[in-house]
């Protein structure tokens, strides 16, 4: 009942409600939301009787569900393809990031936040790709401000690398394969970032002390040695020792491509996961993005250490990495989330469509392949994803009393279309048919951030026009030289790794 000491709440209701991915869908269900939390829940007629004066948002034609969680991303706002970075092998595509135009990071985070909210995502992971490594410290705070302006939660982890910038291993062999004129160019791409490890950890500590919010979970500050081959053991260990006592998380890209799995075999004669395990670098505080090229022994190690995986199905297709073995991860009970990585199939950051792709790819050919139900995938986008992204203690991804009231109302009548039979599974319909066009209202961190399909926190049209004008009036790109260098290096990198393709001692299938 309403307590005189707390401000009045509101009722949010729908003809159909999904309170958690693992629970049956309920009819005519309502929540009583107060101060950003779900204070009460029950049948619509019961809640209206208990809180007769409460304002209401909802409708019989809507589906009510928890806000979605984007477990791995870079918050680029703008499309890489449109900015002249074509899809390619990850190892080649990465070079193109250096050619992206320098724009106000606050504007990009504002746009990213609005795009995500309008697709039903109320919490996102952000691994920050700075314009230059030297610029990383200056870009973090404006990025956090941009997400705050949009009204979305963020698990923010600045990345860092300290080795193997251009090629994972065999640098001398690679350089020897190049024409002499190309060698100094390749060497310049092999330089470590001009940001010391000490400065990186100082940055993370300052951000953590100022912005980490363990009470309302609007911002979590985490740490990110960016990816397996690019980070020394010492860096990984220091990241663990930074994160664990602060009760925050580490997020790393791992085993995104087969070449990363082969790098581990060459370097240590073992799998990457076995190597991390031997150093005490697996644990429940760790989230591994991608994980396309694991083997069964890796899965057992991850299970034993309760290590989490953030699955990126679109990005793994677009950057030609492969399809992650999600059915095996589900069977092992790994903590799992789904992230868009800034590279969805339609280049539009539509999280509901990303769930559709994840579900479709998880069901593999063959009668002996397990059937992955829609609920298992949806769990990865809801409570499972929240645990992977913010930690299992954070009450997100479900609509139970006490949870943070991040929620989405979808136009369910439009999702159903002409007719949905009484025995049609609503979760199957949701994953097979829904997209951002069906997202009508979104409540995140105590605010209605989307109403009738439009962001309420920022003027999206003005924001897009502003970015268009900034790009149109930019001086000629300083990156023409870099683009020319990439054009020369790309065929050499492709040829170099093609020689690794002949090694079929590990993961020889092209998954
Ligand atoms: Zn990524």
């Amino acid at each position: 009942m309403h307590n005189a000491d707390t401000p009045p709440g509101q009722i949010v209701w729908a003809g159909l409600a999904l309170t958690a991915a693992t629970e049956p869908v309920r009819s005519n269900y309502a929540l009583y939301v107060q101060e950003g939390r779900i204070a009460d829940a029950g049948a619509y007629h019961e809640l209206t009787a208990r809180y007769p004066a409460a304002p209401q948002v909802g409708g019989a034609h809507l589906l009510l569900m928890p806000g979605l969680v984007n477990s791995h991303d870079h918050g680029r706002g703008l499309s890489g393809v449109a900015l002249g970075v074509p899809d390619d092998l990850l190892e080649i595509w990465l070079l193109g990031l250096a050619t992206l135009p320098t724009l106000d990071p606050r504007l990009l985070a504002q746009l990213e936040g609005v795009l995500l909210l309008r697709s039903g995502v109320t919490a996102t992971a952000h691994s920050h790709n700075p314009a230059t490594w030297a610029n990383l410290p200056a870009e973090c705070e404006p990025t956090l401000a941009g997400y705050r302006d949009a009204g979305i939660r963020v698990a923010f982890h600045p990345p860092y690398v300290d080795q193997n910038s251009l090629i994972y291993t065999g640098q001398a062999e690679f350089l020897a394969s190049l024409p002499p004129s190309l060698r100094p160019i390749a060497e310049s791409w092999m330089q470590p970032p001009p940001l010391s490890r000490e400065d990186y950890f100082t940055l993370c500590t300052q951000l953590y002390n100022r912005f980490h919010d363990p009470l309302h979970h609007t911002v979590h500050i985490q740490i990110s040695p960016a990816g397996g081959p690019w980070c020394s053991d010492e860096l990984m260990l220091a990241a663990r020792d930074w994160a664990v006592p602060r009760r925050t998380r580490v997020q790393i890209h791992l085993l995104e491509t087969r070449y990363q799995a082969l790098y581990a075999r060459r370097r240590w004669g073992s799998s990457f996961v076995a190597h991390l395990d031997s150093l005490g670098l697996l644990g429940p505080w760790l989230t591994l993005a991608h994980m396309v090229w694991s083997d069964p022994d890796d899965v057992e190690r991850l299970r034993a250490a309760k290590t989490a995986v953030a699955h990126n199905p679109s990005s793994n297709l677009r950057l030609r990495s492969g399809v992650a073995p999600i059915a095996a991860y589900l069977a092992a009970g790994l903590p799992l989330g789904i992230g868009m990585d800034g590279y969805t199939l339609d280049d539009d950051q539509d999280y509901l469509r990303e769930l559709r792709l994840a579900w479709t790819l998880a069901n593999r050919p063959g009668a002996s392949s397990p059937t992955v139900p829609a609920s298992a995938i949806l769990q990865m986008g809801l409570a499972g994803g929240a645990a992977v992204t913010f930690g299992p203690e954070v009450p997100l991804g479900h609509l139970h009393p006490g949870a943070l009231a991040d929620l989405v109302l979808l136009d369910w009548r439009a999702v159903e279309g002409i007719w949905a039979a009484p025995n049609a599974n609503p979760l199957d319909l949701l994953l097979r048919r829904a997209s951002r066009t069906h997202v009508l209202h979104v409540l995140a961190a105590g605010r209605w951030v989307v109403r009738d399909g439009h962001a309420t926190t920022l003027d999206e049209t003005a924001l897009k026009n502003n970015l268009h004008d900034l790009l149109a009036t930019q001086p000629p790109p300083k990156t023409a030289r870099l683009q020319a260098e990439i054009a020369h290096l790309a065929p050499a990198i492709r040829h170099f790794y093609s020689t690794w393709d002949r090694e079929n001692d590990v993961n020889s299938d092209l998954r």
Side-chain angles (χ1 to χ4, degrees):
M1 296 297 289
H2 179 59
N3 181 323
D5 295 336
T6 51
Q10 60 184 318
I11 286 174
V12 183
W13 75 283
L16 213 57
L18 179 73
T19 48
T22 50
E23 293 171 6
V25 172
R26 303 160 196 265
S27 297
N28 293 318
Y29 198 73
L31 308 172
Y32 184 65
V33 175
Q34 201 171 26
E35 295 189 305
R37 295 240 172 197
I38 297 169
D40 201 354
Y44 174 57
H45 68 273
E46 289 173 9
L47 255 70
T48 50
R50 282 212 281 279
Y51 309 98
Q56 297 184 17
V57 176
H61 65 295
L62 303 177
L63 171 84
L64 168 63
M65 63 181 287
L68 295 157
V69 181
N70 183 26
S71 288
H72 174 74
D73 215 307
H74 300 270
R76 296 187 186 93
L78 295 168
S79 152
V81 173
L83 293 171
V85 182
D87 294 1
D88 207 324
L89 292 178
L90 172 81
E91 287 80 6
I92 293 170
W93 170 84
L94 276 174
L95 275 58
L97 295 182
T99 69
L100 293 176
T102 301
L103 289 162
D104 180 348
R106 183 167 187 161
L107 292 181
L108 294 177
Q110 286 179 345
L111 178 60
E112 179 74 20
V114 164
L115 291 175
L116 291 173
L117 289 167
R118 283 203 303 99
S119 98
V121 172
T122 53
T124 189
H126 180 101
S127 169
H128 193 77
N129 290 127
T132 64
W133 283 108
N135 225 28
L136 177 66
E139 292 187 11
C140 292
E141 205 173 317
T143 301
L144 289 169
Y147 283 123
R148 187 174 62 234
D149 297 338
I152 191 169
R153 299 178 197 277
V154 60
F156 186 84
H157 33 267
Y160 189 66
V161 299
D162 66 351
Q163 64 180 22
N164 303 335
S165 295
L166 184 66
I167 294 288
Y168 298 147
T169 186
Q171 280 80 359
E173 179 196 342
F174 175 72
L175 288 171
S177 75
L178 301 176
S181 62
L182 199 51
R183 284 176 204 159
I185 292 170
E187 281 172 333
S188 72
W189 283 82
M190 289 175 175
Q191 296 306 308
L195 178 73
S196 72
R197 189 191 300 172
E198 188 186 349
D199 287 347
Y200 170 69
F201 279 91
T202 300
L203 169 68
C204 291
T205 303
Q206 287 172 345
L207 291 170
Y208 181 89
N209 290 342
R210 284 192 61 195
F211 297 107
H212 189 74
D213 171 14
L215 188 61
H216 302 292
H217 308 292
T218 49
V219 174
H220 275 206
I221 300 294
Q222 304 172 348
I223 200 159
S224 179
W230 306 298
C231 299
S232 66
D233 293 345
E234 294 73 27
L235 173 60
M236 299 264 211
L237 288 163
R240 177 199 63 187
D241 294 344
W242 183 90
V244 171
R246 289 177 173 81
R247 303 174 65 81
T248 187
R249 300 186 66 78
V250 180
Q251 190 165 132
I252 301 175
H253 294 78
L254 203 78
L255 294 179
E256 185 167 352
T257 69
R258 181 166 176 267
Y259 305 119
Q260 297 180 357
L262 289 169
Y263 160 75
R265 295 281 172 186
R266 288 176 174 217
R267 183 89 191 266
W268 303 294
S270 72
S271 80
F272 226 126
V273 171
H275 176 68
L276 295 181
D277 198 12
S278 74
L279 293 171
L281 280 168
L282 300 182
W285 39 267
L286 177 63
T287 296
L288 303 172
H290 297 285
M291 288 303 289
V292 179
W293 289 94
S294 60
D295 60 33
D297 177 59
D298 292 341
V299 179
E300 175 51 31
R301 289 175 190 274
L302 297 176
R303 187 199 61 74
K306 298 185 171 64
T307 295
V309 171
H311 176 40
N312 309 102
S314 278
S315 170
N316 294 339
L317 293 179
R318 290 184 57 182
L319 302 181
R320 306 170 193 180
S321 303
V323 178
I326 290 305
Y329 295 164
L330 284 167
L334 300 190
L336 292 171
I338 293 176
M340 296 189 280
D341 203 23
Y343 263 68
T344 51
L345 209 54
D346 297 279
D347 221 19
D348 61 356
Q349 294 294 78
D350 188 329
Y351 195 88
L352 288 159
R353 190 174 286 131
E354 192 69 359
L355 291 179
R356 173 150 51 257
L357 181 65
W359 186 34
T360 308
L361 289 174
N363 284 286
R364 307 303 297 156
S368 54
S369 297
T371 293
V372 175
S375 59
I377 299 296
L378 197 55
Q379 173 73 354
M380 293 165 67
L382 296 176
V388 160
T389 312
F390 288 81
E393 74 286 357
V394 177
L396 284 169
H398 61 80
L399 299 178
H400 300 153
L404 293 162
D406 284 16
L407 54 87
V408 179
L409 288 158
L410 292 179
D411 184 348
W412 191 246
R413 197 160 293 159
V415 172
E416 285 186 328
I418 297 170
W419 174 249
N423 66 335
N425 181 337
L427 295 197
D428 286 5
L429 282 172
L430 179 66
L431 257 63
R432 188 51 62 200
R433 301 184 68 116
S435 70
R436 70 176 336 128
T437 58
H438 302 115
V439 173
L440 290 182
H441 315 300
V442 179
L443 185 70
R447 279 198 287 178
W448 283 106
V449 288
V450 176
R451 289 303 298 265
D452 299 313
H454 297 286
T456 63
T457 49
L458 293 161
D459 183 337
E460 185 177 347
T461 304
L463 183 55
K464 287 176 171 171
N465 287 341
N466 188 8
L467 281 164
H468 172 272
D469 292 348
L470 287 171
L471 286 160
T473 56
Q474 280 225 329
K478 62 179 173 26
T479 55
R481 176 182 58 81
L482 295 177
Q483 285 163 350
E485 291 181 5
I486 293 169
H488 284 103
L489 286 170
I493 293 171
R494 186 179 300 278
H495 174 74
F496 178 76
Y497 284 116
S498 75
T499 66
W500 294 28
D501 286 342
R502 293 176 210 130
E503 290 181 32
N504 52 13
D505 60 322
V506 56
N507 297 329
S508 58
D509 57 306
L510 290 174
R511 54 187 68 179

